[in-house]
Amino acid sequence: MTNEEKNLQRDSQLPEVRRQLLDRIRQDLEQDSDVLAIYLAGSLAKGNADSYSDIDLHTVVKPEKLEGFIADKFGRAGKWGNVLFFEGIAASPVIVSHYDCFVKVDSWYHTADDLKPSIWMKGMKILYDPHSILEPIRQLSEEAVYKITPAEVEFWRTKMLAFIHETYRAARRGEPYYALANLDSVRWLTAYGWYMEMGRHLDSPYQVWSKIEGSRSRLTEDQLERLASWEAGRHPSSILTALESISTEFTRLNKTMSERVGMDDNSEIVSRALALVL
């Protein structure tokens, strides 16, 4: 059996391995009197997980015990399975644990006061809530409706212009890796703009490509094809050609979304900014 075949065989078993790991996590945390509640976020909570989905674990603890949980977060994660390596710094309430079974756990420690109903909490899955801390938050979050705001459009517009300029600078400077990284940000922001135009909340962190492609994407085939067409080679002309093509869609999106939220599209400033590099 080749290494690829071994990996694919392992991958087919990941959902069951992940379930067993989550069972061990719950058994440990639910027996701790300082743990007040536990919930899942992400694809496991929303029911659209695949073999490679991680465990987005949120643990609510007593306020006076939070510091201790953070201090012991590496040791705690080590009790759940064989950790290959960690991501995270000691002072942060977040730790990412990579287990040798190829399952990843993103774990957050909170106090009850940290949690507020929001669009980001929509779809949360409660695992343990003996004090009814989470259920009211879950109910209110389910009622949340995503709606673009002038502030979000302004943030998106200025970020697009900033990354377009930085892509140009890097390309002309002879730094193609940096230029392509910035071009990738421009492409991601365009996809984010499409989600805003559809009135859909993009349920992934800023500039993370998760859920942009694949079965969880809400983009059309045409939009996905356009994203792919905006890939570029290392030569400045290839990079600038991609930028010019994206800029046409950026201009359209800026006008459409500005009208939708009732704000000035700043078309003159946008045109001047684009003309500096294209």
Side-chain angles (χ1 to χ4, degrees):
M1 184 180 291
T2 66
N3 194 55
E4 181 180 9
E5 290 171 335
K6 290 179 182 178
N7 287 342
L8 289 174
Q9 184 180 64
R10 175 210 60 206
D11 294 354
S12 69
Q13 300 169 354
L14 285 175
E16 175 59 20
V17 172
R18 183 176 60 212
R19 183 193 66 77
Q20 293 176 8
L21 176 58
L22 182 56
D23 284 347
R24 293 196 298 273
I25 293 171
R26 291 187 62 178
Q27 184 176 17
D28 172 49
L29 292 174
E30 290 176 22
Q31 291 177 351
D32 191 326
S33 61
D34 293 325
V35 172
L36 301 178
I38 307 167
Y39 70 94
L40 292 178
S43 56
L44 280 182
K46 294 177 174 63
N48 59 2
D50 59 25
S51 293
Y52 305 103
S53 298
D54 54 18
I55 298 174
D56 291 317
L57 179 74
H58 296 259
T59 304
V60 184
V61 303
K62 294 179 179 178
E64 67 272 18
K65 299 295 183 178
L66 178 62
E67 187 175 333
F69 273 91
I70 294 173
D72 188 43
K73 63 184 180 180
F74 296 100
R76 193 87 190 216
K79 294 169 62 177
W80 304 334
N82 297 319
V83 180
L84 196 59
F85 63 94
F86 293 105
E87 296 177 72
I89 59 175
S92 170
V94 184
I95 180 172
V96 180
S97 307
H98 295 257
Y99 291 86
D100 63 2
C101 60
F102 201 51
V103 174
K104 177 166 73 80
V105 178
D106 296 1
S107 181
W108 289 259
Y109 290 103
H110 310 276
T111 66
D113 288 342
D114 295 333
L115 306 179
K116 308 295 180 188
S118 75
I119 193 74
W120 291 100
M121 299 286 278
K122 193 169 187 174
M124 66 187 292
K125 181 177 181 179
I126 298 173
L127 300 181
Y128 178 69
D129 191 24
H131 307 284
S132 298
I133 295 169
L134 298 177
E135 182 57 25
I137 295 172
R138 186 197 68 78
Q139 291 180 7
L140 290 172
S141 295
E142 287 303 312
E143 297 171 3
V145 176
Y146 172 72
K147 185 178 180 180
I148 60 172
T149 65
E152 189 176 13
V153 173
E154 179 67 18
F155 173 85
W156 171 82
R157 175 168 58 209
T158 55
K159 281 295 183 184
M160 280 288 287
L161 291 173
F163 277 114
I164 287 171
H165 279 197
E166 198 64 11
T167 302
Y168 175 90
R169 291 187 184 100
R172 292 302 191 196
R173 190 184 283 140
E175 298 176 344
Y177 287 130
Y178 183 47
L180 291 171
N182 279 281
L183 178 62
D184 208 41
S185 295
V186 174
R187 292 165 66 225
W188 184 91
L189 283 162
T190 303
Y192 173 38
W194 286 333
Y195 268 79
M196 287 195 291
E197 184 181 31
M198 289 186 288
R200 286 187 174 272
H201 173 61
L202 178 55
D203 188 25
S204 58
Y206 178 67
Q207 290 203 50
V208 172
W209 280 91
S210 175
K211 303 181 181 70
I212 298 293
E213 301 173 287
S215 61
R216 296 178 295 178
S217 176
R218 294 295 181 266
L219 299 182
T220 66
E221 285 299 319
D222 176 67
Q223 288 169 331
L224 291 170
E225 288 174 5
R226 295 184 75 182
L227 280 178
S229 73
W230 292 331
E231 292 182 353
R234 290 170 55 83
H235 194 277
S237 63
S238 177
I239 295 169
L240 296 179
T241 296
L243 272 186
E244 187 165 3
S245 180
I246 294 171
S247 70
T248 301
E249 180 62 4
F250 163 54
T251 301
R252 184 195 70 78
L253 278 171
N254 179 55
K255 179 178 177 59
T256 298
M257 292 194 294
S258 296
E259 289 177 352
R260 187 168 299 175
V261 298
M263 64 183 291
D264 190 341
D265 64 5
N266 283 347
S267 58
E268 182 181 351
I269 292 175
V270 168
S271 296
R272 288 170 57 194
L274 291 175
L276 290 174
V277 297
L278 300 174

